[in-house]
Amino acid sequence: MLRLNVKFQFETLLQVHKNKENFLKKELGDILAHKQSQQNRSDNINSSMEKNIQEINQRMVQDLDINTYALYNNFFNGSHLQKDRQKTIISEVDLRAKTKRAELVEASRKRRTMEILKERYLKNHKNKLAKLETEAMDEIASNHWSLNS
């Protein structure tokens, strides 16, 4: 059986596409982790607001001075501002994730294209080797037959 050293001519390009895809996967993972931490922060703000709403409702039965109401009002205004800010941050992170996901899909498509080309190249090479081997075996058989005749 004939064996030749086979090297796909675009192996380096295939490796570049694989590396780019892996890098984009890592970046997307980082973005999604950041989004999750921002979502957790938003949830904490919401739970803090709910807790303080319950607290103020309980204190409403007591006589509170105007300063306490002003303090609660300032807290809730600040909480609403933080909540709006978190929504903005989360939407920006979503946009970054969507963009990165599109880049990742494109990189995966390019890598897969190169893998298909490599598979075709190796299949063609294998077929050529099989053809050469068959020709060599035919030649050997013909020589053997003519020597025995």
Side-chain angles (χ1 to χ4, degrees):
M1 180 173 198
L2 294 173
R3 291 254 181 213
L4 298 175
N5 191 7
V6 180
K7 176 118 173 102
F8 179 56
Q9 60 188 354
F10 297 115
E11 189 70 37
T12 305
L13 188 58
L14 174 61
Q15 202 57 41
V16 166
H17 287 303
K18 283 181 180 180
N19 291 342
K20 183 175 182 180
E21 183 181 9
N22 289 337
F23 180 73
L24 289 171
K25 282 180 184 177
K26 182 187 177 306
E27 282 185 334
L28 181 61
D30 291 343
I31 289 171
L32 293 176
H34 179 66
K35 178 186 174 189
Q36 186 60 47
S37 70
Q38 292 300 322
Q39 188 64 46
N40 290 344
R41 186 172 181 193
S42 179
D43 293 344
N44 287 340
I45 291 170
N46 289 338
S47 66
S48 175
M49 283 180 61
E50 288 175 13
K51 179 183 168 191
N52 284 315
I53 287 172
Q54 289 173 355
E55 190 177 301
I56 198 170
N57 285 337
Q58 289 175 354
R59 289 189 176 190
M60 288 297 258
V61 292
Q62 304 169 357
D63 273 339
L64 296 176
D65 62 351
I66 192 74
N67 292 332
T68 306
Y69 285 115
L71 183 66
Y72 276 114
N73 186 44
N74 289 338
F75 171 78
F76 287 121
N77 286 340
S79 293
H80 285 293
L81 288 174
Q82 281 185 332
K83 189 175 177 182
D84 292 342
R85 185 171 158 251
Q86 282 304 113
K87 283 182 183 178
T88 304
I89 290 171
I90 290 171
S91 66
E92 289 172 359
V93 172
D94 274 339
L95 182 62
R96 281 184 25 217
K98 183 178 178 181
T99 304
K100 198 57 70 175
R101 197 172 282 119
E103 289 178 30
L104 178 59
V105 166
E106 182 64 20
S108 296
R109 188 187 60 76
K110 287 180 179 178
R111 176 200 43 85
R112 184 65 188 135
T113 301
M114 294 305 296
E115 286 177 346
I116 290 170
L117 288 175
K118 181 179 180 179
E119 289 169 5
R120 285 182 188 168
Y121 173 80
L122 293 175
K123 182 179 176 184
N124 286 340
H125 183 73
K126 183 179 175 185
N127 290 342
K128 285 179 187 177
L129 284 180
K131 185 177 179 183
L132 288 173
E133 184 177 1
T134 303
E135 289 174 2
M137 295 301 284
D138 288 347
E139 183 69 26
I140 291 171
S142 126
N143 288 339
H144 182 68
W145 186 77
S146 62
L147 286 176
N148 289 338
S149 306

